[in-house]
């Protein structure tokens, strides 16, 4: 089955996009303000969304080219879901390709997040929202991350 993928042309340099993906300040500015970020390969980052969370092991940090995480722990606490840890074992990949005019082509994949997951619809909408936040951050300086005061379920 096909996993979640998006390709976005960003009006920002690969260096700026990489900073948004690989630093605590960057990630808190577009995904969630409530997170603990590892800045070295092998480290673990925890991303919190109210009562929901994901723990990612950093697999690759290639400046201006790629950020890759492997989900090792997760809780999507939605009553209707029988499996609340579906993200465990999936990979999140951000590939950056420089484009003319100082732009970056972002190839994003959540490898393993497929339509047969109970959380697919919720997570697909979440990724659409937060990838838009990433684009806004790198293009305007202002993202729309999950705030520590929100309790919504988001990817």
């Amino acid at each position: 089955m096909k996993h979640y993928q998006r390709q976005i042309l960003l009006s920002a340099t690969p260096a700026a996009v990489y900073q948004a993906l690989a630093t605590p300040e960057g990630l808190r500015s577009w995904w969630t303000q409530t997170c603990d970020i590892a800045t070295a390969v092998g480290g673990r980052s925890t991303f919190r969304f109210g009562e929901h969370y994901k723990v990612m092991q950093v697999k690759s940090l290639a400046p201006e080219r790629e950020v890759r995480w492997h989900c090792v722990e997760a809780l999507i606490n939605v009553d209707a879901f029988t499996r609340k840890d579906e993200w465990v074992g999936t990979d999140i990949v951000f590939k950056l390709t420089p484009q003319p005019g100082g732009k970056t082509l972002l190839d994003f994949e959540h490898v393993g997040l497929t339509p047969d997951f109970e959380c697919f619809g919720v997570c697909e909408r979440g990724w659409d929202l937060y990838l838009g936040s990433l684009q806004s951050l790198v293009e305007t300086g202002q993202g729309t991350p999950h705030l520590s005061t929100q309790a919504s379920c988001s990817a």
Side-chain angles (χ1 to χ4, degrees):
M1 271 193 174
K2 191 169 175 118
H3 56 262
Y4 180 87
Q5 296 176 287
R6 279 205 48 207
Q7 189 174 71
I8 306 169
L9 181 61
L10 302 170
S11 295
T13 65
V17 177
Y18 182 80
Q19 285 297 112
L21 298 172
T23 67
E25 180 181 289
L27 287 158
R28 288 183 184 122
S29 297
W30 71 268
W31 200 17
T32 179
Q33 292 181 337
T34 312
C35 56
D36 301 308
I37 304 302
T39 56
V41 172
R44 290 184 177 203
S45 297
T46 301
F47 301 93
R48 294 176 203 82
F49 304 86
E51 64 185 327
H52 318 279
Y53 65 87
K54 285 85 175 171
V55 179
M56 304 290 176
Q57 183 173 26
V58 179
K59 291 299 201 179
S60 173
L61 291 172
E64 302 183 30
R65 292 192 325 251
E66 179 183 89
V67 172
R68 181 183 297 259
W69 304 322
H70 179 73
C71 186
V72 295
E73 192 178 331
L75 174 66
I76 303 171
N77 197 18
V78 173
D79 289 341
F81 295 170
T82 57
R83 187 158 171 232
K84 299 178 188 308
D85 66 347
E86 286 184 303
W87 277 36
V88 173
T90 65
D91 291 298
I92 295 170
V93 182
F94 302 88
K95 291 183 182 173
L96 312 177
T97 306
Q99 300 295 300
K103 296 183 180 186
T104 303
L105 183 64
L106 169 65
D107 284 299
F108 175 84
E109 296 181 86
H110 188 156
V111 180
L113 178 64
T114 60
D116 61 334
F117 275 31
E118 285 181 296
C119 73
F120 185 80
V122 169
C123 295
E124 180 180 45
R125 288 187 300 276
W127 277 128
D128 289 346
L129 174 74
Y130 290 116
L131 290 172
S133 175
L134 171 63
Q135 183 171 16
S136 179
L137 174 65
V138 299
E139 292 182 354
T140 72
Q142 184 67 47
T144 52
H146 177 85
L147 306 175
S148 59
T149 57
Q150 293 173 315
S152 65
C153 179
S154 304

